[in-house]
Amino acid sequence: MPEDDQPLFSAVDALLEQVPQTPLPEPAERRRLREAAGLSQEQVAAALRTRREAVGNWEAGRSEPRPPKRAAYARLLEGLANRYPAGSPPEPAAPATTPAPPSPPILAAAAPKPADLKPAEPSPVHVPAPAAKAPPAPRRPMGRQAAPKEQPAPDPRFANGPLAVLDGDGSAYCLGGLILDCPAKDIPSLVDWTLSEAKLGAPRLHRNGKDADPLVVLTAAAAERLGLPAVLEDRRGLRLPEDHKVVRQIAKAKWQLTRRGFGPWARVYRPAAGGQRQCVQFAVLPWGAFDTRAWGGIDQLPPPELAHLLGDYATRVITPRGSTAVSGLELMTALRPPTKAVKDEATGGWVSGPNPGALTEPLDPAPPEAPDEHPVVSALYPRGHQRTPDQVLDEEAYDWIRDPELLTDEECAKQYAVGVDVNMAFAAAANRLTVGLGPAEHLRAPVFDPKTPGSWLVDLSHIDIDPRLPNPFTPHGGRPEGPAWYATPTVAYAAELGHQVRPAEAYIRQDRGSYLDAWYARLRDAYLATMERLGVTAGVPEQEFLAAMERHKAVDPGQAAVLSAIKATVKGGIGKLRERPQGARYRPGDRWPALERPTWRPDIRAAVISTARVNMHRKMLKLADGAGLFPIAVLSDCAVYLSDGPTPLDFLPRTPEGKPLPGGFRLGVSPGMVKHEGTQPLVWAAQLLDEGHNPARHIKGTDAALDGE
């Protein structure tokens, strides 16, 4: 062949490699041929200049080789098929000069079929501390200790799980150790690949809901490969400028971005066609998509481990859709969709209608329930007006300390200050809580009904509470100074204590329901499943529980990060019910985007926090009446008591039968029970009280607020 013709023939060969070829043998036959020849996956991978995991995926049917590797792989299989036709015995494997590393069981050649991979049960393994990137260690075979909630029926549409972590070499790491080859080098092609080939996503959590959009997490290397900057310069808007090349590429490909643009969390979509959603969500790691206050250092983990842990959160809670607060709010909607299909009697067709028991439309709050920035408040009061308790609902968590002068000689003889913290306090408060679903109705001089959700203007200042306990009717724990607005649980507790309540006004909601029950149940199950993975199980003796809690974060740092995210999902989701305006462009009195959500409901937030505070006081009152024990400080769901010993077992009272005092604090892992929060010397606590600081905030040796508590 003349030398001048060589480039022409090379170009033709390259072109032929791109033309569709004869189908490869079935995945099981590929594996049979390799094993018949006594070849390892490592040997095949080395010959084809690819990764062993890619060969495993080809043999499992999870992915197909791409040109030019496809032609070479086909040639190998054809040659093996000629030598080892079906039915021939396999050759004994020749001893290798250097033993190959063992294959992780979840990536072995005998891998499950794609339908068996979703969702894969997380393996109980140690997650390495965030350090230099290294190949993931082989995982043990999947266990069977996880909660049943993590094993729904496989959906072939989402065979590869809810999400993938994309690295710079095109490897997309999925749940269960699966690795996909992603050829995309820009965002539009990545969206196309995700929707057409990746088989990512998650089935709906409610029959009237929507399937979860696939999530692609971008590492720093992947972001660079796709043309994204290493640092997001717009720290206020948190988005790429409209003229950035990536934004232009998205628009040119006829894709759209949501109003928040392309930031740490971005959605790229096209309007649904034929009832089929076309949307991919992105989380950009180098831009801080995962807040360290909720997730710890999870974004520093190698991609396989990151995919493993995010997959755990996705299967137990929900596919992350932004911050944990956003995910908490989205979980409410996913479990209680606002609409459902209803039959139109006039046409006989199916149309969208409201879903009973859900929040179906945006509602304006009653004036006392609205934050200061709301247009409802602006219409009633001049700008800068400071509303008084009889003008605004102020249901917040406790931040109270006891007057040091009220410490008794017996208490001052104690050696320790011991804190106990209620597990998942806001979630427990949401359980079986009746909340309003529809608009508020204004009443004058109503008769109080503890079963009717709403806000009540009532004077509770005449009720005497032992000053060694916080007052249950105010966040600061002091006596109310006169009439004030309260949520139903607070007024109901006043009636429970035996006092008459005569509201002057009320905003009540006759349309009511237990909207948060399913939300609580899913988060409870996620919390308990994760605690079990950390070695903390329900029903163990109290001493064993305390010992397990002492070491649980060290058992598996990765699962500890998932636990932190679950707890942040609870608190953040409740907080999002009254999201305040954000951004420099906002002007007081203007509406802001959150107001257009059915889930913008400050009255529901107030009811949950009111219930949590009342639950806390009820337990403290039981200890006071039953054992003469009074806290010295309370912060939200943490109470600090003085004790002769350093653990809760040294001061929590018991019955003559040796059981915990009924109605008081009980040690245990379940939501509503308590754990040991921390211990400090009495002198330390007394000094903080004298200085006006709250010992409950620092009982662990750190600032609870900074720790996300």
Side-chain angles (χ1 to χ4, degrees):
M1 180 189 304
E3 292 185 3
D4 293 344
D5 293 340
Q6 184 62 39
L8 295 175
F9 282 91
S10 298
V12 169
D13 290 340
L15 188 62
L16 286 173
E17 288 178 347
Q18 301 177 31
V19 177
Q21 304 174 41
T22 304
L24 296 172
E26 290 298 315
E29 176 65 6
R30 303 171 197 175
R31 174 190 169 195
R32 186 196 70 79
L33 291 171
R34 176 182 57 77
E35 292 180 342
L39 299 175
S40 67
Q41 290 183 346
E42 287 80 4
Q43 290 173 299
V44 174
L48 298 177
R49 298 179 183 178
T50 188
R51 300 186 310 277
R52 181 198 58 76
E53 293 85 357
V55 177
N57 288 338
W58 299 343
E59 293 183 355
R62 296 192 289 261
S63 64
E64 292 291 319
R66 296 178 175 276
K69 294 182 177 63
R70 180 185 174 92
Y73 188 47
R75 183 174 181 179
L76 171 65
L77 295 176
E78 183 181 0
L80 294 178
N82 291 333
R83 296 189 185 187
Y84 307 101
S88 61
E91 282 190 4
T97 307
T98 303
S103 302
I106 52 178
L107 290 177
K113 297 179 181 178
D116 297 330
L117 289 171
K118 173 66 180 71
E121 190 173 299
S123 54
V125 298
H126 259 317
V127 176
K133 185 173 179 179
R139 296 192 182 104
R140 294 194 293 271
M142 299 299 180
R144 291 296 172 192
Q145 299 84 5
K149 291 283 186 181
E150 295 186 42
Q151 303 177 36
D155 189 323
R157 298 172 300 158
F158 313 122
N160 295 331
L163 55 87
V165 178
L166 182 63
D167 209 357
D169 61 355
S171 300
Y173 297 86
C174 305
L175 189 62
L178 171 67
I179 304 174
L180 304 176
D181 290 313
C182 175
K185 295 185 179 179
D186 56 48
I187 292 294
S189 59
L190 177 54
V191 172
D192 289 332
W193 175 82
T194 302
L195 295 176
S196 62
E197 298 184 42
K199 294 184 179 180
L200 296 175
R204 63 196 68 187
L205 298 179
H206 188 281
R207 66 178 183 275
N208 295 323
K210 301 174 181 176
D211 297 328
D213 297 321
L215 169 64
V216 179
V217 181
L218 305 179
T219 66
E224 180 181 1
R225 169 189 172 110
L226 297 168
L228 298 171
V231 177
L232 192 59
E233 295 182 359
D234 183 1
R235 301 311 302 169
R236 173 171 288 182
L238 291 177
R239 64 178 65 194
L240 290 177
E242 295 296 326
D243 60 351
H244 192 277
K245 68 175 183 178
V246 170
V247 177
R248 295 201 308 268
Q249 288 172 350
I250 293 171
K252 184 177 180 180
K254 307 300 183 183
W255 290 99
Q256 300 179 33
L257 291 166
T258 58
R259 285 188 299 182
R260 65 183 175 186
F262 204 105
W265 289 89
R267 284 181 180 273
V268 180
Y269 74 99
R270 284 179 182 148
Q276 185 70 30
R277 286 176 62 83
Q278 300 180 83
C279 181
V280 177
Q281 181 170 266
F282 294 96
V284 187
L285 291 181
W287 295 356
F290 294 95
D291 192 333
T292 56
R293 292 171 296 179
W295 290 97
I298 193 172
D299 59 341
Q300 300 300 312
L301 292 175
E305 300 299 340
L306 178 60
H308 174 69
L309 297 177
L310 291 179
D312 282 354
Y313 179 90
T315 53
R316 295 173 197 169
V317 183
I318 193 172
T319 303
R321 301 187 183 185
S323 67
T324 49
V326 170
S327 296
L329 200 68
E330 292 285 345
L331 181 61
M332 295 179 195
T333 302
L335 294 169
R336 295 278 194 184
T339 61
K340 70 172 186 175
V342 295
K343 195 167 187 178
D344 188 335
E345 297 298 336
T347 64
W350 292 92
V351 297
S352 179
N355 185 22
L359 303 178
T360 59
E361 60 181 346
L363 298 174
D364 276 341
E369 298 165 352
D372 292 340
E373 304 91 341
H374 199 281
V376 168
V377 179
S378 299
L380 293 175
Y381 306 104
R383 185 172 178 179
H385 172 76
Q386 294 295 318
R387 289 189 288 172
T388 54
D390 61 340
Q391 297 172 338
V392 62
L393 179 69
D394 185 26
E395 294 285 13
E396 299 294 342
Y398 271 131
D399 188 352
W400 171 85
I401 62 173
R402 200 203 302 181
D403 184 346
E405 297 296 329
L406 297 178
L407 291 175
T408 65
D409 292 341
E410 181 182 358
E411 288 176 322
C412 291
K414 308 288 185 182
Q415 296 187 54
Y416 301 100
V418 182
V420 290
D421 183 81
V422 179
N423 303 322
M424 302 272 283
F426 288 157
N431 185 29
R432 296 194 298 272
L433 176 65
T434 301
V435 300
L437 303 177
E441 175 187 356
H442 185 222
L443 301 177
R444 296 281 185 181
V447 176
F448 176 68
D449 179 5
K451 296 182 180 180
T452 301
S455 301
W456 310 79
L457 178 61
V458 60
D459 190 350
L460 303 178
S461 61
H462 62 284
I463 300 177
D464 286 325
I465 301 293
D466 192 311
R468 292 174 294 175
L469 287 173
N471 191 291
F473 311 125
T474 61
H476 52 74
R479 183 194 290 262
E481 296 180 356
W485 286 95
Y486 301 99
T488 296
T490 302
V491 186
Y493 186 55
E496 178 185 324
L497 294 176
H499 302 284
Q500 283 193 338
V501 292
R502 295 187 175 89
E505 291 182 59
Y507 287 91
I508 65 171
R509 292 169 172 84
Q510 298 292 357
D511 185 10
R512 67 191 79 167
S514 300
Y515 174 72
L516 295 172
D517 275 7
W519 184 80
Y520 160 76
R522 186 164 178 86
L523 287 165
R524 174 204 61 201
D525 292 347
Y527 168 77
L528 292 176
T530 307
M531 289 298 287
E532 187 174 355
R533 293 283 298 278
L534 291 168
V536 185
T537 56
V540 300
E542 293 174 325
Q543 195 66 52
E544 291 183 24
F545 167 72
L546 291 175
M549 288 299 298
E550 283 292 322
R551 60 177 182 267
H552 79 284
K553 290 185 179 179
V555 168
D556 189 332
Q559 289 300 314
V562 175
L563 178 68
S564 174
I566 292 171
K567 294 192 290 186
T569 301
V570 173
K571 290 191 174 182
I574 296 300
K576 274 280 185 181
L577 291 169
R578 195 188 67 167
E579 182 179 355
R580 309 295 278 267
Q582 303 174 27
R585 297 181 180 179
Y586 172 76
R587 295 294 177 267
D590 293 345
R591 296 185 68 85
W592 59 95
L595 302 186
E596 310 311 318
R597 295 192 318 246
T599 50
W600 192 85
R601 291 294 299 272
D603 57 299
I604 296 180
R605 173 188 179 274
V608 172
I609 295 177
S610 165
T611 302
R613 195 180 67 243
V614 163
N615 288 346
M616 194 78 175
H617 192 274
R618 189 180 286 112
K619 289 178 170 61
M620 292 187 290
L621 185 59
K622 287 289 184 182
L623 263 63
D625 291 343
L629 291 176
F630 296 86
I632 63 168
V634 183
L635 180 70
S636 187
D637 45 14
C638 174
V640 177
Y641 286 84
L642 299 180
S643 170
D644 290 320
T647 78
L649 290 176
D650 295 312
F651 77 88
L652 287 178
R654 312 188 78 81
T655 65
E657 295 76 24
K659 297 182 179 180
L661 182 70
F665 294 117
R666 297 188 60 181
L667 289 169
V669 69
S670 297
M673 301 179 79
V674 299
K675 62 181 180 295
H676 182 203
E677 182 72 355
T679 298
Q680 299 290 342
L682 167 68
V683 175
W684 171 91
Q687 181 179 350
L688 287 182
L689 291 177
D690 288 337
E691 295 172 353
H693 300 307
N694 193 329
R697 184 180 298 276
H698 307 280
I699 194 71
K700 289 196 299 186
T702 58
D703 190 318
L706 294 179
D707 288 344
E709 295 293 334

